[in-house]
């Protein structure tokens, strides 16, 4: 199963730039945010059906990844959150490796475990959560065998 659809660039210039440069250079350029590694997640648009590419912090453990729908603590979820809810089949590029995963929203103990991995990598996630009443959602991505 490989994701198909027309690539629709993000309306956020800085994020679009980082995602496109990262992908085009096989993860060699624009690979970090403040010195912390990023990944690029490709999702299928919940409304457009187009392919959306989103730079996110790299949170990996035992071959699985988490993506955190923080959007800097904004009151609303990022748009890509809705894509994941509707279309859990995604692609994730880490360095020059791009693979397919199936995402699920983490709850309970799993969510606590992965929130720990995420804040180890990017402590600001805790600050973002303090900024908003919205529960910042976390998805765990399992590789498609
Ligand atoms: N954002 C995070 O939430 N978490 C992170 O860990 C994170 C890390 C990060 C690292 C580097 C970097 O450059 C950016 C980083 N960001 C991080 C920001 C991230 O890349 C996104 O810019 C941010 O999360 C906002 O995501 P967004 O999907 O809301 O993007 C906006 C700007 C956007 O592109 N909106 C589009 C638009 O046209 O307004 C719509 C995008 C979309 O997916 N639309 C769907 C569709 O069908 O095409 C519909 C979605 C719906 O509402 O149903």
């Amino acid at each position: 199963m490989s994701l198909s659809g027309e690539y629709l660039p993000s309306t956020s210039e800085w994020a679009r730039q980082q995602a496109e440069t990262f992908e085009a250079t096989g993860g060699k350029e624009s690979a970090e945010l403040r010195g912390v590694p990023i990944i690029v997640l490709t999702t299928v648009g919940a409304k457009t059906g187009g392919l959306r590419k989103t730079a996110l912090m790299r949170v990996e453990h035992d071959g699985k990844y988490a993506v955190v729908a923080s959007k800097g603590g904004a009151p609303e979820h990022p748009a890509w959150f809705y894509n994941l809810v509707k279309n859990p089949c995604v692609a994730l590029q880490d360095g020059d490796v791009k693979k397919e995963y199936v995402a699920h929203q983490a709850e309970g103990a799993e969510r606590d475990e992965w929130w720990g991995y995420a804040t180890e990598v990017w402590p600001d996630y805790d600050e973002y959560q303090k900024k908003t009443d919205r529960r910042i959602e976390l998805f765990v991505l399992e590789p498609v065998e």
Side-chain angles (χ1 to χ4, degrees):
M1 166 258 350
S2 70
L3 299 187
S4 61
E6 180 197 356
Y7 169 49
L8 300 175
S10 168
T11 49
S12 155
E13 183 54 29
W14 71 287
R16 184 189 65 72
Q17 192 65 44
Q18 176 144 31
E20 288 182 358
T21 306
F22 180 81
E23 186 172 58
T25 62
K28 289 192 181 54
E29 287 175 37
S30 297
E32 296 178 348
L33 178 64
R34 299 202 313 249
V36 180
I38 64 134
I39 53 95
V40 165
L41 182 75
T42 301
T43 57
V44 176
K47 291 179 183 147
T48 63
L51 295 184
R52 299 292 191 168
K53 296 180 191 293
T54 310
L56 299 168
M57 298 325 294
R58 179 185 184 278
V59 180
E60 185 274 342
H61 184 75
D62 281 350
K64 295 183 192 175
Y65 290 82
V67 287
V68 180
S70 51
K71 198 176 175 180
E76 72 285 347
H77 294 304
W80 60 266
F81 163 85
Y82 299 100
N83 301 348
L84 269 184
V85 167
K86 183 165 181 193
N87 305 300
C89 298
V90 299
L92 181 144
Q93 181 178 337
D94 182 0
D96 62 356
V97 177
K98 187 171 182 179
K99 287 185 185 170
E100 272 142 30
Y101 297 81
V102 180
H104 67 270
Q105 254 173 281
E107 294 295 347
E110 184 186 41
R111 177 184 158 88
D112 295 343
E113 178 190 358
W114 279 93
W115 189 265
Y117 301 141
T119 49
E120 214 174 296
V121 163
W122 194 251
D124 281 3
Y125 285 134
D126 278 331
E127 299 314 309
Y128 302 152
Q129 185 57 84
K130 287 179 195 146
K131 276 172 67 178
T132 178
D133 296 337
R134 166 176 72 97
R135 188 179 84 154
I136 292 178
E137 295 303 332
L138 181 151
F139 294 83
V140 173
L141 275 54
E142 313 216 32
V144 172
E145 298 307 336

